[in-house]
Amino acid sequence: MTQKDSVIIYSGGLDSTTLLYEERERVALAVTFDYGSNHAAREIACARLHCARLGIEHVVIDLAFFKQHFSSSLLSGADAIPDGDYADSNMRSTVVPFRNGIMLSIACGLAESRGLKRVLIANHGGDHAIYPDCRPQFVAAMDAAMQAGTYDGVQLVAPYTDISKADIVRRGVQLGIDYGETYSCYKGGEHHCGTCGTCTERREAFLEAGIPDPTTYEK
């Protein structure tokens, strides 16, 4: 029997849902962080759905101080979110400073508290242009810090760091994931807006993968 030895940082979005299903035999705990983003409620609902379906324990941790003290358009309402591709310079406004570093630190503490050996995160190659805390050098440094700072050497596992979102979609379809039950849009509306950076990236991923996109877009 496969050992349940992992905590996953799970948003309820496309990438982390794929990783959840890929690692479901080893995931003991899924943790979602509510840091006050525009799309938090939508993502959390998706996260709860998939964790319940897979029988995986799920906790939501409130990080309200992000919205109170950090600067990011992702925390400032739908109207603040720019349209465009992830690679566009205006998308830098969506960076939440050191978000992954903070979340990984908490997840590492959870892992050690429960005697678990791994923390999973679903950053991918398309994130590198804009998000510093998704890049390979950050992953390597954070893995080293986590192992050095825990008695049991908790490891950071980030298997999508060097692959594309289209690659992730291909994996997920093989796993039977319904991506219509995931949420990505930075504006947080009832349906995906279709024009913000993460919607643009989502649409392009399905096109590149040659797989029909089940997402409902406003535009």
Side-chain angles (χ1 to χ4, degrees):
M1 183 176 178
T2 304
Q3 183 181 6
K4 298 273 189 179
D5 63 355
S6 304
V7 175
I8 185 172
I9 295 179
Y10 181 40
S11 71
L14 185 153
D15 309 315
S16 60
T17 296
T18 307
L19 186 57
L20 179 78
Y21 276 78
E22 280 203 313
E23 295 283 340
R24 62 188 180 275
E25 297 300 324
R26 297 184 67 173
V27 173
L29 177 68
V31 56
T32 302
F33 294 100
D34 184 356
Y35 55 95
S37 68
N38 303 325
H39 56 313
R42 297 285 180 186
E43 283 194 326
I44 290 169
C46 292
R48 285 179 171 144
L49 183 153
H50 289 285
C51 287
R53 181 174 294 163
L54 296 177
I56 292 172
E57 182 184 355
H58 178 229
V59 297
V60 178
I61 294 180
D62 185 2
L63 298 180
F65 71 87
F66 271 43
K67 192 163 187 176
Q68 295 169 4
H69 300 291
F70 287 16
S71 176
S72 171
S73 62
L74 205 59
L75 308 173
S76 303
D79 292 342
I81 298 296
D83 290 333
D85 188 82
Y86 256 11
D88 295 344
S89 60
N90 67 339
M91 290 304 295
R92 288 190 65 175
S93 76
T94 66
V95 173
V96 179
F98 208 61
R99 174 184 60 180
N100 283 346
I102 295 166
M103 293 179 178
L104 284 167
S105 297
I106 296 170
C108 182
L110 284 169
E112 185 161 50
S113 296
R114 291 180 175 231
L116 304 173
K117 306 299 185 185
R118 306 192 309 160
V119 173
L120 309 175
I121 190 171
N123 60 300
H124 63 83
D127 294 330
H128 298 173
I130 297 297
Y131 301 104
D133 58 357
C134 290
R135 295 171 185 165
Q137 57 268 42
F138 168 81
V139 171
M142 201 69 191
D143 177 42
M146 288 165 58
Q147 292 197 51
T150 53
Y151 282 113
D152 294 329
V154 175
Q155 293 182 305
L156 173 56
V157 179
Y160 300 162
T161 300
D162 296 316
I163 68 173
S164 70
K165 202 176 190 79
D167 292 328
I168 294 171
V169 167
R170 293 185 187 101
R171 291 187 183 202
V173 168
Q174 290 180 344
L175 292 166
I177 297 171
D178 178 1
Y179 284 122
E181 296 178 334
T182 64
Y183 193 89
S184 303
C185 180
Y186 279 169
K187 296 187 179 181
E190 180 179 357
H191 301 297
H192 286 69
C193 72
T195 58
C196 72
T198 190
C199 280
T200 300
E201 185 194 41
R202 185 180 174 110
R203 296 173 79 158
E204 290 174 350
F206 281 99
L207 284 170
E208 183 182 337
I211 292 167
D213 186 351
T215 312
T216 299
Y217 298 101
E218 292 180 2
K219 296 181 181 178

